[in-house]
Amino acid sequence: MQWRRSVVTDWVQLIGLTTIATVVTGRLPDWARMWLIAAGLYGGFKWLTWRRAIRDQNASRPPLVLSLAYLLLWPGMNARRFLWGPLPRRPTRGDWLRAAVNVAAGTGILWLLASQRVFSRPSIVGWTGLLGIGLVLHFGSLSLLSLAWQRAGVDAPPIMQRPATACSLADFWGRRWNTAFRDLAFELIYRPLARSWGARPAMAAVFLFSGVVHDLAISLPARAGYGLPTLYFILQAIGVEIERSNVGRRWHLRNGPQGWLFAAALILAPAGLLFHPPFVRQVVLPFLNLFRA
């Protein structure tokens, strides 16, 4: 019962933080609301993961400087690994080069959009801008930050683990795409629920949780499209179940070319549900106009 009380307390605090962030950002531009709501969710999640790690009876309290570094200077959500993990491998020149190339490529895309030299259709501009932001942030800057921490002797692996090489949906969402969110969902959702409900219902709850979080960060700032990101992640959960079914095993949907194609189709084809038109039109495009200005 102790872990259940702990989970309830954590979620009450998180809901409170999200409500405050939503009220405070009510009069701001939609793109600013998106970033501030996302920052509020991120800050709440960071605090919960840090506090749960500190409550671990087997863990000694880390230095204050390292705790502040985890809370403020690292996007990952595995506090135990960051604070008490073993010495990581030393980054190679290739690691630094790949991250730098991603930053340069994303910056180039955003510059082209800002200069208005390519693309005229708003939807193409919006999706291309999302690609540029992702390259600069998730695949570039955050990878460089990960390498800097590894160079300093802290176990902080990149949050993106070559997602394009995923051989299945389970591999993509469970090991390769945004491992910070994966670690968070495992700690706050999967592990507590799997104890009472079993692995499959807990997995379904993780996808539902992911959908709700993305609705808060995407649909709420756009003031439209509510439920579409959640529907997207429900489809992902269904896809994972198909992979695990007899049909999935017969068609080798969990490995090889078939698994890669199946995962790519289910990730990309319904992506318009996740980044739906109101979000692209009312949040992404006005944000990209800042670069043009």
Side-chain angles (χ1 to χ4, degrees):
M1 294 298 296
Q2 180 63 34
W3 69 268
R4 291 183 180 178
R5 287 194 294 269
S6 172
V7 169
V8 170
T9 301
D10 289 344
W11 282 104
V12 168
Q13 293 178 1
L14 182 60
I15 292 170
L17 288 170
T18 305
T19 302
I20 292 172
T22 303
V23 172
V24 169
T25 60
R27 296 180 178 273
L28 295 174
D30 290 342
W31 63 264
R33 293 183 78 225
M34 177 199 69
W35 286 111
L36 288 176
I37 289 174
L41 289 168
Y42 168 80
F45 289 144
K46 291 291 287 188
W47 173 257
L48 291 181
T49 55
W50 176 83
R51 200 182 70 171
R52 289 171 71 90
I54 294 298
R55 284 202 306 245
D56 190 337
Q57 297 297 322
N58 298 323
S60 59
R61 201 172 189 88
L64 176 61
V65 172
L66 194 58
S67 287
L68 291 175
Y70 171 75
L71 291 170
L72 303 175
L73 299 174
W74 174 239
M77 294 290 176
N78 191 331
R80 292 181 182 88
R81 185 169 186 175
F82 186 91
L83 298 173
W84 298 287
L87 288 176
R89 71 173 181 85
R90 196 175 185 85
T92 66
R93 290 182 181 180
D95 295 330
W96 292 98
L97 180 60
R98 278 190 294 272
V101 167
N102 286 334
V103 171
T107 302
I109 289 173
L110 294 176
W111 178 82
L112 287 173
L113 293 177
S115 66
Q116 300 183 356
R117 298 187 180 185
V118 294
F119 308 136
S120 58
R121 294 183 59 183
S123 60
I124 296 178
V125 172
W127 279 92
T128 306
L130 286 173
L131 174 62
I133 292 170
L135 286 172
V136 170
L137 186 62
H138 294 84
F139 292 91
S141 301
L142 295 184
S143 291
L144 291 173
L145 181 59
S146 166
L147 296 172
W149 279 120
Q150 292 179 54
R151 184 69 175 80
V154 177
D155 192 13
I159 64 171
M160 294 296 187
Q161 297 285 337
R162 301 175 66 190
T165 65
C167 61
S168 67
L169 278 175
D171 184 36
F172 181 87
W173 296 114
R175 294 178 55 231
R176 299 189 179 280
W177 182 264
N178 197 348
T179 58
F181 196 88
R182 185 274 314 276
D183 292 337
L184 170 75
F186 180 83
E187 179 72 19
L188 298 185
I189 304 295
Y190 183 86
R191 191 165 68 172
L193 294 183
R195 296 171 181 171
S196 299
W197 297 358
R200 286 194 169 181
M203 184 273 294
V206 165
F207 279 107
L208 180 61
F209 165 72
S210 183
V212 171
V213 169
H214 283 80
D215 253 311
L216 290 173
I218 292 175
S219 301
L220 189 59
R223 307 171 196 266
Y226 298 107
L228 294 180
T230 299
L231 176 58
Y232 174 83
F233 283 100
I234 290 175
L235 292 176
Q236 302 307 303
I238 293 172
V240 171
E241 284 301 312
I242 292 174
E243 288 179 346
R244 294 175 173 177
S245 68
N246 291 332
V247 173
R249 286 192 291 269
R250 188 179 306 119
W251 287 92
H252 304 288
L253 297 183
R254 298 190 66 180
N255 52 65
Q258 299 97 315
W260 187 92
L261 288 172
F262 181 76
L266 261 72
I267 291 165
L268 297 176
L273 296 174
L274 179 59
F275 301 116
H276 46 67
F279 174 71
V280 174
R281 182 174 59 252
Q282 294 161 212
V283 177
V284 177
L285 290 176
F287 179 69
L288 292 175
N289 284 334
L290 296 178
F291 295 94
R292 294 180 175 179

